[in-house]
Amino acid sequence: MLKKILSISGKPGLYKLVSQSRNMIIVESLIDGKRMPTYARDKVVTLSDIAMYTETKEVPLREVLESIRKMENGAKASVDPKAEPNVLREYLAKVLPDFDRDRVYPTDIKKLVSWYNLLVTSGNDDFSEETKTQEEEAKA
């Protein structure tokens, strides 16, 4: 599921991949459902390609989101994304105890919490690892 959810630099929120062509993709906002084209010059990243730093390794974003979902029992995050930096760090410490406090900034935690809330609100809260079946790979 996270392979089709995109973050576009300079644009708020998250977007769902609708279709793609040679030099552009069509995305749909998870906030208001509006569709728009995105071009090759825009910096687009799928959520499945994002990871968070810990003291020992990088943890895929899907694992962090799954930890939040388990801690919150599938509900929205109990912390406000606009909370003070120390409150955000305490929250992330509950979710990911060994996160790298030097390389994970409060702005990263704000983005994580708002993305989580947006995904839960829009019904895109299946953070399990995606595995392709042989049929899907043959079609690709």
Side-chain angles (χ1 to χ4, degrees):
M1 191 268 329
L2 292 182
K3 288 184 180 190
K4 294 193 180 225
I5 305 294
L6 311 170
S7 169
I8 303 172
S9 183
K11 299 190 189 305
L14 295 173
Y15 299 84
K16 188 175 197 172
L17 176 65
V18 176
S19 73
Q20 60 189 95
S21 68
R22 184 181 297 156
N23 40 339
M24 77 170 189
I25 59 175
I26 304 295
V27 295
E28 182 179 295
S29 171
L30 292 183
I31 295 173
D32 58 14
K34 290 184 180 177
R35 290 185 177 190
M36 65 181 204
T38 302
Y39 300 94
R41 68 178 179 271
D42 297 319
K43 185 178 177 188
V44 178
V45 179
T46 66
L47 294 192
S48 63
D49 292 339
I50 299 175
M52 294 201 76
Y53 296 113
T54 66
E55 297 293 336
T56 56
K57 62 181 180 173
E58 291 183 11
V59 176
L61 183 64
R62 67 170 185 73
E63 290 181 19
V64 179
L65 291 170
E66 183 62 28
S67 295
I68 295 173
R69 189 172 70 80
K70 285 180 182 173
M71 188 175 91
E72 300 291 354
N73 294 321
K76 289 176 79 172
S78 56
V79 67
D80 183 10
K82 297 176 184 170
E84 294 295 317
N86 59 339
V87 173
L88 292 170
R89 287 183 186 276
E90 288 173 16
Y91 182 78
L92 187 58
K94 293 177 189 173
V95 174
L96 190 65
D98 64 336
F99 80 95
D100 190 331
R101 282 149 178 80
D102 294 330
R103 295 194 293 177
V104 177
Y105 300 105
T107 54
D108 300 328
I109 304 170
K110 284 180 184 184
K111 193 176 286 188
L112 170 70
V113 172
S114 18
W115 283 358
Y116 171 79
N117 287 340
L118 184 56
L119 289 167
V120 167
T121 303
S122 67
N124 294 296
D125 57 353
D126 177 19
F127 307 124
S128 60
E129 188 168 7
E130 297 171 34
T131 55
K132 286 188 174 183
T133 64
Q134 290 178 347
E135 292 175 356
E136 288 174 335
E137 288 177 358
K139 289 179 184 176

